[in-house]
Amino acid sequence: MNSTKESLNVDEMMRAYNFTPETIQTIKNEELLSAGLIHRLQKCYPQYSGFSKTGTPLFTGKTHYTGLAGFREILNVLKANGVELERVKEREFFLEVYRFMATKHILNTIDWSNYKNDPNYYLVFPQPDMINKTDVQKYLDAQSEEDRRKVVEAYQLKTNPHDGKQKLNKPFFYNDEGQIEILEGSQHKYPPIKLILDAGTQNCFAFCTYCFRHAQVRGDEDMFVQHDIGQVHNYLKKHKEVTDILITGGDAGYISYKRLKEYLTPILEDDELLHIRTLRIGSRAITFHPEFLLTDRFKEILELLKTTVENGIQVVWMSHTSTPRELLNPGALAAIQRLKKYDIKVKSQSPIMNTISLYKDENGKVDVDRSAQNWIDLGNILAMVGIGFHSMYCARPTGEHHHFTAPLADITKVFNKVYRSLASINRPSRYITMTSSAGKTSLMGTTEIDGEKVFVLKFNEARNMEWMDRVYFAEYNEQENTIEKLKPYKADKYFYEDELEEIEGRLEEALKKESLKMAGHD
């Protein structure tokens, strides 16, 4: 351990989070906790810090708490320690609809003496008011397990798991035998990047209450699952425009060494795949289960990724961090430092979410200053620990969108304050965005045209990338929370709408046609 400002009681700090002997040994052997860095973080941001935590943690019995049984087990631990959550059955309805999982790590980062003001609590714990009262009452009134199951299944049909018409993003190609192959676990919407939802990454280390991929983690029939790795390589050889592949899920941290090597070896060795420049790994392991990244078993994956970097392919660990509380603890910091030691870049992209990273005042209005300060502090902390601030984005219109979102007018005020308050090198790399079928739309702010206030919009990525070249306007609306629902300014439709309809129709027809062909071959 390097020590600068003051001695660091590493053993006491790690006992407070119930680290395993293997984790403690890795941290010490690889010198992953810098006393100087912790001192600076603690002194600059004591209001968020978990470095000074001492004593025995509440959660020590297991690594994961899953489903209804796991949730009830957590409640029992809390009750034994003087903490009782109210309206439990309403919370259970939510977790039956969307599933539940929490790790001992995220549970032990929560300040249970003040949990109602801790964003990590809202990140993983369902709240009674997340689902509308009418459907909640149906669940509460159900007289049997079978009746409750029917209520849950009926409500799941309303959750819009594939927002933005994601099913149209499934790529397909003709193989050497002239047969059609649809990549059932992939998405290719924007030319430079292809998403892979691998068969081994369908789970998460913990479930965010705002989950955008609940079809994956609850195992819906129409979930994206990529089984055939060779199929991915064959597709990439025919699509030289792809420079980046993003392994996601679920959580890409779950990918096994064997499958990751199967993906990477041809990319490193086959000249037909030289156009691949970047591997992105979408994972929340730093926040939810940093000890996983500190195991001896994970070291072989780190070495494989380091070899990938040495062969000219950038490896980026895409974390999702919304608050300083997620980072300011010894587990998260050690995991970040270990990734960096193996030449893996770490970047953060996160949604701005009500109760987690967007706050309201006593009158129920967005507290612009408090919300912005969370992100300003986060931006500076990301810089201090060596994480690139990639992006902020609005809540996607899926799941309980109404609970997590806020008016775009207010979000614009928050983002503008964040952007102008951070040094240019520490700002998000783009303006705040929201995803729709058309693409990722940046909310550039507001302006006035002929004395009338309007929103200024611009695509950050799009189904037709040339749409990115234009700035366009929408009518200003104090209450609207979804960009695609904004009305065009002094126009019947947006400039891209006719072409978008044509593109979507063409994709839908092609996928339907090719699916029938595949069924015929079967």
Side-chain angles (χ1 to χ4, degrees):
M1 294 288 158
N2 65 50
S3 179
T4 56
K5 297 291 183 183
E6 57 192 37
S7 62
L8 178 65
N9 192 332
V10 176
D11 291 330
E12 184 176 345
M13 186 188 301
M14 292 191 284
R15 276 197 300 272
Y17 289 89
N18 193 230
F19 285 175
T20 65
E22 180 185 16
T23 297
I24 294 171
Q25 200 61 44
T26 297
I27 289 174
K28 290 184 175 181
N29 288 348
E30 298 184 21
E31 299 185 333
L32 298 177
L33 291 178
S34 162
L37 176 57
I38 291 175
H39 171 86
R40 185 172 291 272
L41 290 168
Q42 176 74 21
K43 289 292 185 180
C44 292
Y45 300 103
Q47 70 272 36
Y48 306 118
S49 178
F51 293 118
S52 58
K53 184 176 180 179
T54 58
T56 303
L58 294 188
F59 296 91
T60 59
K62 59 206 303 188
T63 300
H64 288 91
Y65 296 79
T66 307
L68 271 175
F71 180 69
R72 289 168 179 170
E73 192 173 349
I74 291 170
L75 296 184
N76 289 336
V77 172
L78 292 176
K79 186 175 182 179
N81 287 274
V83 178
E84 287 197 59
L85 303 187
E86 70 283 355
R87 297 163 66 183
V88 170
K89 291 303 293 184
E90 294 176 46
R91 299 173 191 264
E92 290 185 349
F93 178 37
F94 180 96
L95 66 88
E96 285 208 75
V97 170
Y98 294 105
R99 306 296 183 256
F100 175 83
M101 183 186 292
T103 55
K104 70 170 183 179
H105 173 80
I106 194 66
L107 293 171
N108 285 328
T109 66
I110 296 170
D111 178 2
W112 288 105
S113 68
N114 188 30
Y115 69 93
K116 290 185 179 180
N117 291 311
D118 194 317
N120 286 354
Y121 165 69
Y122 294 99
L123 181 59
V124 293
F125 275 82
Q127 302 303 306
D129 59 346
M130 285 181 170
I131 297 178
N132 70 80
K133 292 180 181 179
T134 301
D135 284 290
V136 167
Q137 196 59 49
K138 290 178 184 177
Y139 181 82
L140 296 178
D141 291 342
Q143 297 300 305
S144 65
E145 288 295 328
E146 176 65 16
D147 290 342
R148 278 190 287 274
R149 183 183 63 79
K150 289 179 180 178
V151 174
V152 168
E153 290 178 352
Y155 190 76
Q156 285 176 338
L157 298 176
K158 304 177 182 180
T159 59
N160 190 30
H162 300 299
D163 66 292
K165 300 184 180 180
Q166 292 179 57
K167 293 180 184 180
L168 297 182
N169 302 339
K170 284 186 181 180
F172 59 88
F173 69 101
Y174 287 91
N175 61 27
D176 292 340
E177 286 73 44
Q179 296 177 336
I180 188 72
E181 293 190 32
I182 297 176
L183 285 72
E184 296 290 348
S186 295
Q187 294 191 31
H188 189 193
K189 182 176 179 180
Y190 312 121
I193 182 166
K194 181 182 183 300
L195 277 63
I196 301 168
L197 293 89
D198 186 71
T201 63
Q202 297 301 315
N203 206 354
C204 290
F205 294 107
F207 296 155
C208 306
T209 47
Y210 61 75
C211 180
F212 300 147
R213 292 264 175 82
H214 44 273
Q216 305 300 124
V217 298
R218 73 187 178 199
D220 288 8
E221 288 184 5
D222 59 353
M223 62 195 286
F224 291 82
V225 186
Q226 188 63 45
H227 293 283
D228 189 339
I229 296 175
Q231 188 183 52
V232 171
H233 296 133
N234 290 335
Y235 179 84
L236 290 173
K237 289 175 183 179
K238 296 176 181 293
H239 288 270
K240 303 294 186 180
E241 74 277 13
V242 178
T243 59
D244 292 31
I245 56 173
L246 166 59
I247 300 177
T248 182
D251 195 300
Y254 268 112
I255 195 165
S256 67
Y257 171 81
K258 180 177 180 295
R259 284 189 72 82
L260 184 59
K261 188 174 182 181
E262 284 183 47
Y263 278 113
L264 291 177
T265 299
I267 292 173
L268 297 179
E269 297 179 353
D270 192 334
D271 283 357
E272 287 193 68
L273 295 169
L274 285 172
H275 55 291
I276 303 303
R277 307 279 193 266
T278 302
L279 167 67
R280 306 186 204 177
I281 297 173
S283 173
R284 253 195 178 276
I286 290 171
T287 293
F288 287 148
H289 193 18
E291 281 193 86
F292 179 80
L293 306 181
L294 299 169
T295 59
D296 291 337
R297 185 182 68 174
F298 193 72
K299 188 174 182 179
E300 63 179 354
I301 288 182
L302 291 170
E303 290 171 344
L304 175 59
L305 294 175
K306 183 176 177 65
T307 298
T308 302
V309 174
E310 290 170 347
N311 278 269
I313 295 176
Q314 176 181 223
V315 176
V316 184
W317 193 274
M318 301 302 299
S319 68
H320 298 260
T321 309
S322 298
T323 69
R325 293 275 301 152
E326 297 170 52
L327 295 179
L328 296 192
N329 62 79
L333 186 60
I336 293 163
Q337 299 310 310
R338 196 181 203 204
L339 291 170
K340 289 166 58 184
K341 277 180 178 286
Y342 283 85
D343 298 330
I344 299 165
K345 296 178 181 178
V346 185
K347 291 183 180 288
S348 178
Q349 57 182 30
S350 285
I352 181 166
M353 291 296 201
N354 184 37
T355 70
I356 299 170
S357 55
L358 179 74
Y359 312 114
K360 294 182 178 177
D361 60 24
E362 62 276 8
N363 298 315
K365 302 293 185 181
V366 170
D367 188 330
V368 173
D369 291 338
R370 183 187 171 205
S371 299
Q373 195 61 52
N374 170 81
W375 291 95
I376 294 165
D377 291 343
L378 177 62
N380 285 316
I381 290 168
L382 290 172
M384 292 170 75
V385 302
I387 296 178
F389 196 166
H390 181 61
S391 63
M392 293 168 60
Y393 55 96
C394 301
R396 296 179 66 149
T398 181
E400 303 311 311
H401 177 252
H402 67 280
H403 177 86
F404 293 106
T405 192
L408 296 168
D410 292 326
I411 290 176
T412 299
K413 294 172 187 175
V414 173
F415 182 81
N416 286 347
K417 184 170 183 179
V418 173
Y419 202 77
R420 68 174 179 263
S421 300
L422 288 169
S424 60
I425 200 168
N426 298 336
R427 291 173 185 157
S429 63
R430 63 193 186 199
Y431 279 82
I432 193 164
T433 62
M434 190 169 194
T435 299
S436 66
S437 178
K440 289 184 171 71
T441 307
S442 288
L443 187 59
M444 306 294 288
T446 61
T447 191
E448 286 193 2
I449 301 176
D450 297 329
E452 189 173 352
K453 195 172 187 179
V454 296
F455 283 117
V456 183
L457 307 175
K458 190 176 190 292
F459 281 106
N460 183 264
E461 290 179 287
R463 289 202 183 272
N464 179 345
M465 298 294 266
E466 292 183 1
W467 297 348
M468 293 169 57
D469 298 343
R470 292 185 59 172
V471 171
Y472 61 106
F473 305 104
E475 292 181 6
Y476 186 77
N477 185 314
E478 287 279 356
Q479 300 303 320
E480 184 55 64
N481 58 35
T482 305
I483 288 179
E484 65 181 321
K485 291 182 181 179
L486 291 173
K487 294 180 179 179
Y489 175 69
K490 290 190 175 179
D492 294 330
K493 60 180 69 174
Y494 292 115
F495 75 91
Y496 61 84
E497 285 193 61
D498 288 339
E499 187 178 357
L500 174 62
E501 186 177 349
E502 180 186 330
I503 291 171
E504 290 175 341
R506 189 166 64 243
L507 288 171
E508 190 170 1
E509 183 63 30
L511 282 169
K512 187 185 299 181
K513 179 180 176 183
E514 305 310 340
S515 295
L516 290 172
K517 285 184 181 179
M518 285 184 67
H521 285 131
D522 292 341

